[in-house]
Amino acid sequence: MNNTEELNTPQLSGNFKKELLQEAADRFNTPLYVYDLDRIQKRFNELKQAFSGRKALVCYALKANSNLSVIKKLASLESGADCVSLGEIKRAIMAGIPKYKIIYSGVGKQDCEIKEAIKLGILFINVEGKEEMLRIEACSKELGIPARVSIRVNPDIDPQTHPYISTGLKENKFGVSIEEAKGMYLYAHNAKFLEPIGIHFHIGSQITKLKPIAESAQKIAQLTRSLLALKIGIKFFDIGGGIGIAYSKENTIDLYDYAQAILEELRGLDVTIVCEPGRFIVGNSGVFLTKVLYQKENQGKHFVIVDGAMNDLIRPSLYEAYHQILSLKNPNAESASYQVDIVGPICESGDYLGKNISLPLLEQGDILAILSAGAYGFSMASNYNTRPRCAEVAIEGGEMRLVRKRECFEDLIALEKEYL
Ligand code: LLP
């Protein structure tokens, strides 16, 4: 297994040695997210390396994992940030990402958010539609500051991923058609308060095949050429995020092939490549730890009830997503002795972390590691059932530290209690 494969595969290696994870569970209690900052660094550098020798900017997509310490680590590696709310922009800045490396995406931006982004002087705003562009123009005029924009083009290409995270088909709410984009660019080019400096596409997430990305890049590069011919100064070619990771043994996109495919389409174009990876960087750099509470047999079906639930990690419930689950006491899959469903304490049948998982016999208090949980894990957590969101721990060079403390009941009612 080469280095890249090792980094991309869910497994207990590097800072995720079973002894360290057990220590994290003992010290900080469960449920708990643990992140390997060294692995995050390696993943980030792999991607940066893939585009080395080209003008390129990696803008980490904060939505995948917006813990400030994770962002700070990426800031130290010179990452930019792809943000989808003013909150994320503020997190990025707070963690040390320079404003000029921040891009702002998302389908429902509000005036106050647009104005703040313009005032802050971020790199550009990814525009999702004509009406939004007119709002951005109005906001810029009011502020007297021109807005740098990039238009999200929907190439109508199937990314072959889960329908909920597919975004580049015409039936999806994202971006505008190539035809509409042309009109919008012409408008923006002639508008005093709009500076169309970029072009953007993002066709979906957890993409494991290169072809749809390469085809999209081809279509958008063609459009870029026609815009440049009209003297519209496109300087940034934003290829979105979406590179998939291995949750099990699936094949994923080779980074070298990915970069080559993009570079091939951009031949002769003098643009800076921007990419917006989230999952690729943090997905396999995070583990969710949960403790066995009880076991029960219901008419032949064996359930293991754990202290983590769908409010902590919603991916299995929401997308039927698979996450590898190991017992820290005995992580060897070969020693499996029964098949179980790992379920949480929430009162919904959809509250599960794994179904029909083969595991060695478990006992009360055993810690289970749910792998590949670094992306869209904590960032999608909620307080459903008035469950406090769990703590987050980072390990770097074998040293662990708390990077978000466990919420308590007081935190959960803080904004309500004065109205009693
Ligand atoms: N850029 C844009 C415009 C996006 O919408 C997204 C993700 C990204 C970048 C980062 O995509 P990534 O590199 O992480 O695939 N909650 C789902 C994933 C939703 C992705 C939404 N957009 C999940 O748990 O699988």
Side-chain angles (χ1 to χ4, degrees):
M1 191 181 282
N2 66 31
N3 193 29
T4 306
E5 275 172 298
E6 186 179 329
L7 288 175
N8 192 31
T9 316
Q11 57 176 297
L12 297 185
S13 63
N15 285 323
F16 288 156
K17 291 192 183 62
K18 62 177 185 173
E19 296 77 14
L20 269 183
L21 292 176
Q22 183 66 50
E23 184 190 332
D26 294 341
R27 270 176 65 186
F28 302 103
N29 211 347
T30 53
L32 183 73
Y33 276 97
V34 184
Y35 308 127
D36 179 347
L37 295 191
D38 297 316
R39 194 155 169 158
I40 288 178
Q41 173 162 348
K42 285 186 193 143
R43 292 299 264 171
F44 178 83
N45 284 339
E46 262 186 297
L47 196 53
K48 206 168 148 189
Q49 198 60 35
F51 289 106
S52 68
R54 281 294 300 223
K55 286 187 287 183
L57 175 64
V58 180
C59 288
Y60 167 63
L62 258 66
K63 61 169 82 76
N65 184 327
S66 48
N67 181 284
L68 285 172
S69 299
V70 169
I71 309 169
K72 186 174 170 200
K73 175 76 194 176
L74 288 160
S76 77
L77 303 171
E78 299 180 353
S79 177
D82 172 43
C83 301
V84 285
S85 65
L86 191 54
E88 284 192 352
I89 294 178
K90 287 181 177 169
R91 274 184 185 267
I93 292 171
M94 197 178 229
I97 297 202
K99 293 169 192 162
Y100 61 85
K101 284 189 188 171
I102 295 177
I103 55 181
Y104 179 26
S105 314
V107 271
K109 305 178 194 81
Q110 301 195 28
D111 278 19
C112 56
E113 298 183 293
I114 294 170
K115 282 185 194 159
E116 199 55 36
I118 296 171
K119 277 197 276 185
L120 284 168
I122 64 166
L123 183 56
F124 56 76
I125 301 177
N126 275 325
V127 183
E128 291 271 357
K130 181 86 194 274
E131 282 195 13
E132 187 192 300
M133 189 173 75
L134 298 179
R135 283 310 313 154
I136 296 174
E137 186 187 20
C139 291
S140 313
K141 245 185 213 161
E142 206 180 304
L143 294 170
I145 313 170
R148 288 183 290 275
V149 294
S150 153
I151 293 171
R152 178 168 182 177
V153 185
N154 183 327
D156 192 22
I157 283 177
D158 184 359
Q160 298 166 32
T161 184
H162 191 289
Y164 284 13
I165 52 176
S166 158
T167 52
L169 280 167
K170 61 175 182 244
E171 64 256 34
N172 301 133
K173 67 180 172 182
F174 301 94
V176 297
S177 69
I178 291 180
E179 266 322 297
E180 194 175 357
K182 278 185 195 158
M184 284 170 67
Y185 274 109
L186 283 172
Y187 179 91
H189 181 58
N190 293 315
K192 192 168 160 211
F193 284 93
L194 293 173
E195 278 180 37
I197 62 164
I199 192 156
H200 175 223
F201 69 90
H202 169 83
I203 58 170
S205 194
Q206 185 52 20
I207 301 172
T208 52
K209 296 197 177 67
L210 181 55
K211 205 163 158 242
I213 300 182
E215 280 175 11
S216 307
Q218 187 185 38
K219 280 192 173 182
I220 308 304
Q222 232 165 35
L223 172 61
T224 307
R225 287 192 175 87
S226 58
L227 296 173
L228 288 168
L230 295 169
K231 303 270 175 286
I232 299 174
I234 305 293
K235 295 186 181 67
F236 296 92
F237 190 89
D238 183 346
I239 58 177
I243 315 167
I245 60 166
Y247 281 91
S248 176
K249 292 188 174 70
E250 61 268 49
N251 288 327
T252 51
I253 295 172
D254 180 86
L255 270 198
Y256 176 81
D257 296 346
Y258 173 70
Q260 285 312 305
I262 302 285
L263 294 175
E264 182 69 21
E265 299 306 339
L266 292 183
R267 215 181 301 156
L269 284 176
D270 180 23
V271 287
T272 297
I273 299 165
V274 175
C275 60
E276 310 168 347
R279 188 187 322 257
F280 176 84
I281 293 175
V282 290
N284 270 322
S285 309
V287 165
F288 178 61
L289 299 180
T290 184
K291 191 182 293 158
V292 174
L293 296 177
Y294 308 107
Q295 304 199 49
K296 64 190 276 189
E297 194 91 28
N298 260 0
Q299 295 161 58
K301 183 110 195 141
H302 199 101
F303 293 97
V304 174
I305 300 157
V306 294
D307 63 359
M310 66 191 281
N311 76 297
D312 301 302
L313 177 63
I314 202 172
R315 302 195 70 257
S317 313
L318 192 57
Y319 315 113
E320 295 180 14
Y322 169 80
H323 286 260
Q324 196 175 324
I325 303 182
L326 301 173
S327 159
L328 282 190
K329 217 168 57 183
N330 189 354
N332 260 337
E334 295 83 60
S335 51
S337 47
Y338 61 171
Q339 269 213 345
V340 297
D341 281 11
I342 309 290
V343 300
I346 286 179
C347 37
E348 294 208 22
S349 294
D351 178 26
Y352 71 92
L353 298 171
K355 281 194 171 160
N356 300 318
I357 309 285
S358 299
L359 285 170
L361 285 183
L362 298 167
E363 289 172 12
Q364 263 184 12
D366 281 356
I367 303 295
L368 299 181
I370 322 285
L371 306 189
S372 318
Y376 307 107
F378 189 91
S379 63
M380 292 178 81
S382 76
N383 293 120
Y384 188 38
N385 279 203
T386 304
R387 286 171 54 88
R389 281 180 299 170
C390 69
E392 298 176 284
V393 162
I395 313 186
E396 195 168 15
E399 298 289 318
M400 66 180 74
R401 63 178 197 272
L402 195 63
V403 289
R404 190 182 204 273
K405 60 183 173 195
R406 192 173 300 282
E407 290 177 349
C408 65
F409 177 68
E410 276 304 313
D411 296 325
L412 268 57
I413 56 157
L415 304 177
E416 296 165 44
K417 62 179 182 191
E418 66 186 285
Y419 304 109
L420 264 186

